[in-house]
Structure formats: C-alpha cells, structure tokens
C-alpha cells in the first residue's frame, strides 16, 4: 500500500509545478527560490477583514459537523457544554493544540490556543476531529483504541475538509483565494514533501558503501528537484537541508505516514463527495465512516478501507484522493 501511495504521488508532481509557477507571478518574482515558497499569499481586501471570535469559529465548525452527521455534532456539543475544551492562551500554558484520549471511562481532553484567525478555526476542527475519533473508539477498549500513524490523522484532517467545504460557500473571492492557497500549500507540505523525504531515504539506503555528506546533498537535491521542477530554483544552501530532519536518524522510514494519512483522508473525502445527490449512498458512507472511527486501531488500514469497497494496495484508491487535490487546484485557478 505504501508503494501504491508513493507511485501515485510521484506521478503527480506537475500540480506542484503549476502552483508555484502561479505563485511566482502573484508575488511578482521572476524566479521563485526555495526560501520564498512558504511566503503567505495576501490579497487586497475590498474592506477591512472582520475579527473572528471564538464563538463564531465554534459555530462554523459545529455547522460543518451538523451538515455531515448528527453523531459528530452531538459529541462536539457535549464537549463544549461539559467543559472538555481549554480554548484560550493563559499564563504558563503550553502552546500548540492537541486532543488527549485519556481512558475509556473518562472523556477526551482538548487543548487549544485561540488567537482569532481563520487558521485557528481549522485547528478547532482538527482537534475536534481527534476528539470525536477518540470518543467513538472507546468502545474497543484502552489497548485497541489507539491508532497506528497511518490512520491517526484520519478524523482530524477529514474534519478540516468538512469545514473547508462548508466555509468556501460563504467567503468572498479574495478570502477564498487565501483559503485555497493556504490549503494547497498545507497539502503540498504534508503529502508531496513527505514523499520526497521517503524517496530520499530509499535512495540513500539503496547505495552501496559509505556516503559522504556531498553524496547526501546530491541525492537530496535530485529528489527535491522532481517535486518543484522548473517552478522554483533550489539555492546552494538548500543542498544540506536533509541534515536538520531528525526522522532520518531517530525514526527511519517514518515520513511516509504523514502522506499516507493525508491522501487516505482525501480519498475518503472524495468518496463522500461522490455520494452527493444520493441520500442512500450518502448515509451508507457516513455510517461506514463512523464504524471506521469506532474501531480505533483494532483493525489494519487495509481491513478498514475494505469496508468502503476499496483495496488500499491498489493505485485506484489513492487516485481518488489525488483527484481531490487536482480539483482544489483547478478551483483556485478559476478564482484567479
């Protein structure tokens, strides 16, 4: 299944090439460099942006959950009502966000740090997705509830996609451009870049004998060049960037799991979108998906995906997810 995933991503780097070629024009830069690529795209608004409140962000997330499934919405409402969520920064509170599953007889605990921007709204959806997954999977017991890395982010990223799908119906063109650009770049970072790292690891371990740092530099540049093509220039200093990534030393062959989780979600979301307009198929998908989450880590990804009628070893399954990326990029192009 990992080989099928890698083959699918390697065959679709052109989406990344096209995006960064467009980004260079939008930034009015003749040649985009590697250090330019994460610069946020900000568009001029016809009027000043309204400040988001935590309550309005919660409303957005709850609406997207309600439109999908009463089960999702009821768990989220219960979490808010019963105080499962620590939402705002306070003195001595750690940064970031996470959801902790605790133990089956308790409930998940969600930590957020709301600062009033749209990205934080997606963080709420992300952590609430984890929370729903953890609450549903309690039924298989403490030892089976925890998921492998390959499915750990399924509910969280799927929840983000539900919010993205709901939110894009309400925003003006300028806000949508920022939303799409941010989402595409997140996908490029989580999906394509992690496969570049996986390809790099495979390439260095396939070499005979001991490699010099210069050998690592060459292989790193070769693999990254495939992702970016002619859309940007990798500068001299970028050649050594492999050395700051701890996974290659402490967690070998770990990086594929990020891509696996991302494209798995996009494939499932693509299957969900295919049911639109057919109430029976839509309901069947939702119930199958809730069953997927309720099983936690008690079944393998292959067994879980089989419930949807697909084989995770088959490139056709991963192509469904990749088509969602292409569709998102096409919608971004149309907005421009």
């Amino acid at each position: 299944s990992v080989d099928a995933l890698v083959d699918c991503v390697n065959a679709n780097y052109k989406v990344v090439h096209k995006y960064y070629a467009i980004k260079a024009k939008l930034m009015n830069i003749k040649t985009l460099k590697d250090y330019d690529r994460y610069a946020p795209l900000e568009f001029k608004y016809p009027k000043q942006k309204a400040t988001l409140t935590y309550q309005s962000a919660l409303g957005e997330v709850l609406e997207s959950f309600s439109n999908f499934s009463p089960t999702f919405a009821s768990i989220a409402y219960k979490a808010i009502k019963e105080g499962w969520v620590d939402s705002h920064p306070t003195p001595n509170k750690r940064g970031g966000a996470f959801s902790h599953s605790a133990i089956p007889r308790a409930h998940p605990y969600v930590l957020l740090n709301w600062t009033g921007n749209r990205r934080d709204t997606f963080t709420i959806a992300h952590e609430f997705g984890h929370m729903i997954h953890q609450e549903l999977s309690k039924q298989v017991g403490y030892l089976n509830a925890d998921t492998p890395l390959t499915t750990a982010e399924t509910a969280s990223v799927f929840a983000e996609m539900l919010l993205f799908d709901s939110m894009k119906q309400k925003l003006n063109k300028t806000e949508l451009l920022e939303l799409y650009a941010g989402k595409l770049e997140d996908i490029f970072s989580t999906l394509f870049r992690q496969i570049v790292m996986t390809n790099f690891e495979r390439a260095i371990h396939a070499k005979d004998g001991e490699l010099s740092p210069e050998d690592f530099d060459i292989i790193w540049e070769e693999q990254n060049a495939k992702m970016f093509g002619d859309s940007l220039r990798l500068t001299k200093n970028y050649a050594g960037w492999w050395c700051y990534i701890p996974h290659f030393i402490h967690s070998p062959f770990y990086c594929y799991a990020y891509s696996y989780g991302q494209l798995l979600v996009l494939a499932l979301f693509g299957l969900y979108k295919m049911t639109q307009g057919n109430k029976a198929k839509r309901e069947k998908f939702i119930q199958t998906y809730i069953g997927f989450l309720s099983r936690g880590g008690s079944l393998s990804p292959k067994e879980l995906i089989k419930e949807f009628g697909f084989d995770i070893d088959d490139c056709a399954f991963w192509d469904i997810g990749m088509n969602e990326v292409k569709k998102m990029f096409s919608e971004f192009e149309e907005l421009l």
Side-chain angles (χ1 to χ4, degrees):
S1 66
V2 176
D3 285 335
L5 160 76
V6 171
D7 289 345
C8 177
V9 176
N10 284 339
N12 285 281
Y13 284 135
K14 284 187 178 179
V15 180
V16 184
H17 302 174
K18 290 177 182 176
Y19 174 82
Y20 282 115
I22 289 172
K23 184 166 186 174
K25 291 179 182 177
L26 291 173
M27 293 174 68
N28 199 27
I29 296 176
K30 187 176 180 181
T31 304
L32 203 68
K33 311 258 192 339
D34 52 81
Y35 49 75
D36 295 317
R37 72 186 190 278
Y38 289 138
L41 286 174
E42 294 185 342
F43 299 88
K44 290 182 180 178
Y45 282 78
K47 57 183 180 181
Q48 190 176 3
K49 287 190 283 187
T51 303
L52 288 169
T53 66
Y54 178 64
Q55 291 302 323
S56 66
L58 278 181
E60 292 270 11
V61 173
L62 291 169
E63 182 184 353
S64 67
F65 286 3
S66 297
N67 291 339
F68 177 67
S69 163
T71 301
F72 271 44
S74 65
I75 293 173
Y77 275 111
K78 186 179 181 182
I80 295 164
K81 184 179 178 182
E82 296 186 5
W84 301 5
V85 184
D86 188 319
S87 59
H88 287 65
T90 56
N92 304 315
K93 179 181 175 182
R94 67 177 287 181
F98 66 85
S99 179
H100 194 288
S101 57
I103 55 174
R105 73 167 184 261
H107 58 71
Y109 288 82
V110 180
L111 179 138
L112 303 169
N113 278 288
W114 171 260
T115 58
N117 58 59
R118 187 160 284 124
R119 195 173 187 85
D120 285 356
T121 310
F122 280 94
T123 300
I124 295 172
H126 184 100
E127 299 307 334
F128 275 30
H130 278 308
M131 174 188 71
I132 290 166
H133 197 173
Q134 291 158 355
E135 183 68 6
L136 288 171
S137 66
K138 289 197 307 191
Q139 61 186 281
V140 294
Y142 181 77
L143 296 178
N144 283 317
D146 202 22
T147 56
L149 284 169
T150 46
T151 54
E153 297 297 323
T154 305
S156 55
V157 182
F158 193 93
E160 285 190 58
M161 290 303 297
L162 289 174
L163 178 63
F164 179 81
D165 208 44
S166 172
M167 194 179 279
K168 69 184 187 183
Q169 313 296 330
K170 305 171 186 178
L171 302 179
N172 63 43
K173 184 177 176 180
T174 309
E175 291 171 317
L176 278 172
L177 281 168
E178 283 189 15
L179 186 71
Y180 271 86
K183 196 67 183 167
L184 283 166
E185 291 190 23
D186 282 347
I187 289 171
F188 293 164
S189 181
T190 309
L191 178 58
F192 292 96
R193 185 168 177 266
Q194 299 298 332
I195 291 301
V196 166
M197 293 185 188
T198 301
N199 292 337
F200 169 74
E201 279 193 277
R202 285 181 160 183
I204 61 176
H205 287 285
K207 296 287 184 182
D208 292 327
E210 187 174 346
L211 303 183
S212 69
E214 291 74 24
D215 293 327
F216 284 98
D217 289 356
I218 291 167
I219 296 168
W220 177 253
E221 283 194 294
E222 286 174 349
Q223 296 302 330
N224 277 270
K226 293 174 185 175
M227 175 174 168
F228 300 114
D230 295 329
S231 64
L232 60 78
R233 184 165 69 82
L234 298 175
T235 58
K236 183 181 177 182
N237 289 334
Y238 189 76
W241 274 33
W242 55 268
C243 71
Y244 87 95
I245 298 165
H247 302 67
F248 300 150
I249 306 299
H250 303 296
S251 311
F253 300 104
Y254 175 99
C255 293
Y256 82 88
Y258 294 111
S259 306
Y260 201 105
Q262 176 75 73
L263 201 57
L264 177 69
V265 170
L266 289 169
L268 290 176
F269 193 74
L271 291 176
Y272 169 60
K273 295 297 287 182
M274 289 178 194
T275 68
Q276 303 304 298
N278 188 318
K279 190 175 180 180
K281 285 186 177 180
R282 181 178 182 275
E283 190 56 36
K284 183 181 178 183
F285 173 88
I286 292 169
Q287 292 310 312
T288 304
Y289 181 62
I290 290 172
F292 175 111
L293 300 182
S294 300
R295 291 184 179 91
S298 62
L299 295 176
S300 70
K302 186 178 177 70
E303 292 171 300
L304 291 169
I305 294 302
K306 193 175 180 181
E307 297 289 321
F308 294 93
F310 282 86
D311 182 0
I312 208 163
D313 296 346
D314 189 346
C315 290
F317 172 74
W318 300 106
D319 284 338
I320 296 168
M322 190 57 70
N323 285 336
E324 286 300 302
V325 180
K326 292 177 180 176
K327 180 183 173 186
M328 198 180 294
F329 175 69
S330 295
E331 289 170 358
F332 177 72
E333 283 188 304
E334 286 172 19
L335 283 168
L336 287 170

